[in-house]
Amino acid sequence: MTPIYIYWISTALLSLLYLTSAFMYLTKGDWVRKALGELGYPSYLVPLLITAKILGTAAILLRFNVALSDLAYAGMFYHLLLAFLAHIADRKPSAAMPAVVGLILLATSFVTRNAARQVPSPYLQEAANMVARGAA
């Protein structure tokens, strides 16, 4: 029963992080464009990021298709990893903290999702096998 609670709490917090971020991108567009520009990213990414954050969150929460949900996890992983690395490269490690929190929530949600969902993802077991082969 505990993995189910861990899954839903981590998934809810991850969703809150992403939806709050999308809302901020919508309401404070000029500030976001300036911040992305300082990191070296073009401003035309803002609408794409808003869409990806909303659709990725919906795919994970609704999980109407397991493969699409897994793809959303992968997209969020790369987004959070790149956000973390961009802030580290810009020598602003404190600005990378939301990405670190997001990565922790994402990993927790991903690892516990099969315990909480009726249709298990086949990719979680494959990922575990790959890690086991790499550690051996």
Side-chain angles (χ1 to χ4, degrees):
M1 191 62 121
T2 303
I4 295 171
Y5 291 129
I6 292 171
Y7 169 77
W8 282 112
I9 291 169
S10 62
T11 304
L13 291 173
L14 178 67
S15 299
L16 181 65
L17 177 72
Y18 261 74
L19 293 176
T20 302
S21 174
F23 181 74
M24 185 183 67
Y25 280 33
L26 279 169
T27 58
K28 300 183 184 277
D30 293 335
W31 179 80
V32 171
R33 284 178 181 78
K34 182 178 180 251
L36 285 176
E38 290 173 1
L39 292 172
Y41 293 106
S43 62
Y44 64 78
L45 286 180
V46 173
L48 179 65
L49 287 171
I50 292 168
T51 304
K53 287 175 185 239
I54 293 170
L55 292 178
T57 302
I60 288 174
L61 286 175
L62 300 176
R63 199 171 186 203
F64 54 87
N65 183 306
V66 174
L68 188 62
S69 174
D70 289 344
L71 186 62
Y73 275 109
M76 286 183 176
F77 173 75
Y78 288 117
H79 169 256
L80 291 167
L81 183 63
L82 291 173
F84 171 77
L85 293 174
H87 289 295
I88 295 300
D90 198 37
R91 296 195 171 114
K92 295 180 182 173
S94 62
M97 284 310 296
V100 171
V101 170
L103 283 167
I104 293 168
L105 292 171
L106 182 80
T108 305
S109 175
F110 183 80
V111 169
T112 58
R113 68 198 166 130
N114 279 351
R117 297 296 191 142
Q118 285 183 335
V119 180
S121 172
Y123 304 108
L124 183 60
Q125 187 58 43
E126 182 60 31
N129 291 341
M130 288 175 58
V131 169
R133 283 191 301 261

